[in-house]
């Protein structure tokens, strides 16, 4: 089925470990983004990309890196995990930045990360 | 900057009760407005949208009207079901310097009992 695929669904890390959250979409969407969801805070934008080779920071980028070498993939890297990064992470995409005005985003099912 | 404020939850209702979840926003220009729903263990799904003032978005019995004069986009449903139990997010898209970025409210947890 077409959509946004995130892996893994669950992950437990120790403080200081690094890992990569994977996100792939097969809809030829130009725009991709990463959000984190925390209780009472809604979704906060971490990083986003308007196309292959172009990324930028969102609202809460510290501790995370991204790259966009292909249209399909937009991995999120945690450099040195901290307990404050315990959260649910969502990847989202749309045809273009401004198509979000009419169609919103397509979301992945999320990665639940716990840092101990 | 842009912001979205939702009524605090959680909201607990009996089946067939009337639902209102309030949402107000602050934005420059004329944003598009959305309601997303998140069922347990799943990602967010677009529930309905409105792209200009006085538009009414509707889907699955839910409705919301874009009120520019009150900067609001309240979600309503006449008769809720147990299957409507979920987290509901109000969001806006303003474009311009916020190109591509959706701004979300904090979410409202809805629980419907039989």
């Amino acid at each position: 089925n077409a959509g946004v695929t995130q892996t893994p669904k669950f992950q437990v890390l120790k403080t200081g470990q690094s890992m990569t959250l994977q996100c792939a979409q097969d809809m030829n969407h130009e725009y991709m983004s990463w959000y984190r969801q925390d209780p009472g805070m809604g979704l906060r934008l971490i990083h986003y990309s308007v196309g292959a080779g172009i990324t930028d920071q969102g609202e809460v980028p510290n501790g995370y890196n991204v790259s966009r070498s292909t249209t399909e993939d937009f991995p999120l890297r945690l450099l040195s995990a901290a307990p404050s990064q315990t959260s649910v992470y969502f990847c989202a995409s749309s045809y273009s930045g401004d198509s979000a005005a009419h169609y919103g985003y397509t979301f992945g099912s999320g990665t639940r990360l716990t840092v101990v | 900057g842009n912001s979205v404020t939702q009524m605090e939850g959680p909201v607990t209702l009996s089946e067939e009760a009337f639902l209102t979840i309030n949402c107000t926003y602050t934005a420059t220009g004329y944003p598009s407005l959305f309601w997303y729903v998140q069922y347990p263990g799943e990602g967010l799904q677009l529930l309905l949208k409105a792209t200009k003032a006085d538009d009414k978005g509707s889907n699955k019995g839910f409705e919301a009207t874009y009120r520019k004069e009150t900067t609001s986009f309240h979600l309503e449903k006449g008769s809720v079901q147990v299957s409507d139990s979920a987290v509901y997010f109000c969001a806006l898209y303003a474009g311009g310097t916020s190109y591509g970025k959706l701004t979300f409210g904090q979410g409202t947890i809805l629980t419907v009992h039989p």
Side-chain angles (χ1 to χ4, degrees):
Chain A
N1 291 335
V4 179
T5 302
Q6 289 185 239
T7 56
K9 291 190 181 301
F10 302 94
Q11 184 71 48
V12 179
L13 287 179
K14 294 182 179 178
T15 298
Q17 286 186 317
S18 62
M19 78 159 294
T20 299
L21 280 62
Q22 302 291 344
C23 175
Q25 54 88 11
D26 57 2
M27 298 171 286
N28 203 31
H29 283 178
E30 289 185 355
Y31 184 90
M32 298 184 73
S33 55
W34 278 100
Y35 286 84
R36 60 177 288 173
Q37 182 184 19
D38 301 295
M41 302 187 73
L43 277 78
R44 293 182 292 169
L45 182 64
I46 304 172
H47 285 286
Y48 66 98
S49 169
V50 299
I54 306 170
T55 64
D56 207 345
Q57 296 181 352
E59 183 183 353
V60 288
N62 292 341
Y64 307 95
N65 270 358
V66 292
S67 60
R68 183 97 178 267
S69 57
T70 67
T71 299
E72 295 79 17
D73 299 301
F74 191 44
L76 178 72
R77 298 182 186 83
L78 280 69
L79 309 174
S80 177
S84 61
Q85 294 179 303
T86 294
S87 188
V88 181
Y89 291 85
F90 288 101
C91 181
S93 70
S94 63
Y95 280 106
S96 67
D98 274 339
S99 73
H102 298 282
Y103 305 109
Y105 290 162
T106 301
F107 280 85
S109 57
T111 295
R112 185 174 295 274
L113 176 68
T114 302
V115 183
V116 298
Chain B
N2 303 320
S3 66
V4 175
T5 302
Q6 292 180 231
M7 66 182 289
E8 292 191 16
V11 174
T12 303
L13 296 173
S14 297
E15 206 164 24
E16 299 183 1
F18 184 85
L19 169 70
T20 298
I21 301 177
N22 290 339
C23 171
T24 57
Y25 68 90
T26 302
T28 55
Y30 302 91
S32 296
L33 302 173
F34 305 88
W35 277 100
Y36 281 83
V37 58
Q38 182 183 30
Y39 298 105
E42 298 183 11
L44 280 71
Q45 303 174 23
L46 181 62
L47 179 60
L48 54 84
K49 64 180 181 183
T51 57
K52 61 183 186 296
D54 299 324
D55 268 1
K56 177 183 285 188
S58 62
N59 187 25
K60 299 181 180 179
F62 291 90
E63 293 183 341
T65 300
Y66 188 145
R67 301 288 188 197
K68 188 159 182 66
E69 63 276 13
T70 55
T71 61
S72 64
F73 193 55
H74 304 322
L75 182 68
E76 296 181 337
K77 187 175 186 181
S79 176
V80 294
Q81 305 300 312
V82 172
S83 57
D84 294 326
S85 298
V87 183
Y88 292 82
F89 291 92
C90 186
L92 71 82
Y93 179 81
T97 55
S98 299
Y99 177 81
K101 302 173 189 176
L102 282 181
T103 299
F104 289 88
Q106 71 270 36
T108 301
I109 299 171
L110 170 66
T111 303
V112 180
H113 293 297

